[in-house]
Amino acid sequence: MIIMKKTLLLFTLVFFIFLFPKKLKAIEVIVENKNFWAPGKGTYVETGLMILGGKLKYLENESGKLSAAVDVLLLFKNEEGIVAFDKYRLNREIIDSSEINVLALIDRKRFALDEGVYSFQLLVKDANNPSDTALISEMHTVDIDPVIPNFSDIQLIEDHEKSSEDNSVFVKNGLFMLPQIVQYYPKTITRMSFYAELYHSEKYVGEDALLITYNVRRAKNKEIVADLNGYKKVQSAEVVPFLAGFNISDLPTGNYILRLEARNKENELICRKELNFQRDNPLTNKPPTDLVADKTFVEGFDLPSIRYQLRSFIPIADAAEAKEINTLVKKGELEALKQFFLKFWVTRDPVDPYLAWYEYTEKVKKVNDSYSTNLLYGFETDRGRVYLQYGAPNQLLEAPRQAGSNPYEIWHYYDNIGRQTNVKFVFLNRDLISNNYELIHSTALGEIKNEQWRTLVQSKGFNSPVETQQRSNDFYGNQINDFFDQ
């Protein structure tokens, strides 16, 4: 057991209560399970446990100090029953009551578990107040392949130092590592450290060296955050321990992905591991009130070009921003447009607003090349808007000249867009002349829905609704339904 005294726990606790209320009871507990592998022993799970001190009951002991105790039960079970468990008591002693809210009990246990799916349960009870308990129950999958190269899970590290201890669960490969169990970084934390292990790389590259790359990416679009990337050349081995980190002082509030990749000397991907985390850094996200556009990349725009630029921002603007853009484009002065332009991109990337704007502009050029019509820029069309808002689809069905139907396209997104996966968009060209495809149906939240979209697509050349529907059913039973419903 280790007692941690960190003021950051106050920030962590507030955020955790807000984000994960279902996992908090009278006792406030945070837990994580991470998969690892050891030569000659096989796969195992490290369970990290943090119990916040503020809700425990403290009693004065014989030495006049305040003490608390919690009883902990950890278990893993599968269809055959309980396969691993531990039951024990954690004790805590403090000198002054002022320490209660800034201390936490941190512990770690290791369980040898084969590959498979397990039900994990944690029960924590206040020994001084048995009615106060916390129960966490969730599924956990052990999925480290014992043959092919792969990473362990990524562990976030609060602090680390060299150690010669052999019997501590906090020591691994000569390093004492205090875990950061919550995947959340408040503004008070300026450094992110992490640990992982690469297994069986020698089976893939022999005695060759390999490259481990690591970077932070935005969760929404998977783009690498500027300056938060690195690499390290390592020698292949049965187990390659890997510890690295970043300075995240300037990382804005948001959802991010930490990605590790192992690559051979030909730069071919061997394996990858990712971890989601959140950052709360409001100071970097607040646009300055004294932005001076004339001293930035916005300086060179004249009134027509900046009006065009602001119009192109609408696909990714929120409702209030879109309304302001429309007003500014109609009657705003040049300086007001410049101020809004700069604020728009500083809000999205305070560290490098120019890069954020430039990358978006490249996408705008692409949609203009692909989707512009005689009357509209590509970003003003439905296909352009969807592309800019959600990115390129994973799969695209184009049917510009199908017998008996109007030209249509179906876009399929496998990955997350917002809170959804497996999302589809249906676009229809009604006039057969222009390049303007109208969005007529989508499974995405907040987008237009029309369950009769097949009838609209198949209406060409048929006079009656009955005939149109019959033709739609016959044709799409073999064509469009197979694609849309897969």
Side-chain angles (χ1 to χ4, degrees), residues 244-263:
F246 297 110
N247 184 324
I248 58 171
S249 300
D250 296 324
L251 184 65
T253 297
N255 297 318
Y256 296 93
I257 298 170
L258 172 62
R259 176 181 290 183
L260 301 184
E261 292 183 341
R263 295 181 175 272

Side-chain angles (χ1 to χ4, degrees), residues 466-485:
V466 174
E467 186 181 14
T468 298
Q469 184 62 54
Q470 180 61 46
R471 175 60 175 154
S472 176
N473 292 339
D474 293 343
F475 181 78
Y476 287 111
N478 296 324
Q479 301 277 340
I480 205 168
N481 288 341
D482 292 341
F483 179 83
F484 190 85
D485 297 331

Side-chain angles (χ1 to χ4, degrees), residues 37-68:
W37 177 86
K41 297 180 180 179
T43 52
Y44 66 94
V45 174
E46 283 194 353
T47 299
L49 180 68
M50 182 164 71
I51 303 171
L52 286 304
K55 293 295 182 70
L56 299 178
K57 183 175 182 179
Y58 292 82
L59 301 178
E60 186 173 334
N61 57 25
E62 296 178 354
S63 61
K65 298 178 181 179
L66 295 174
S67 65

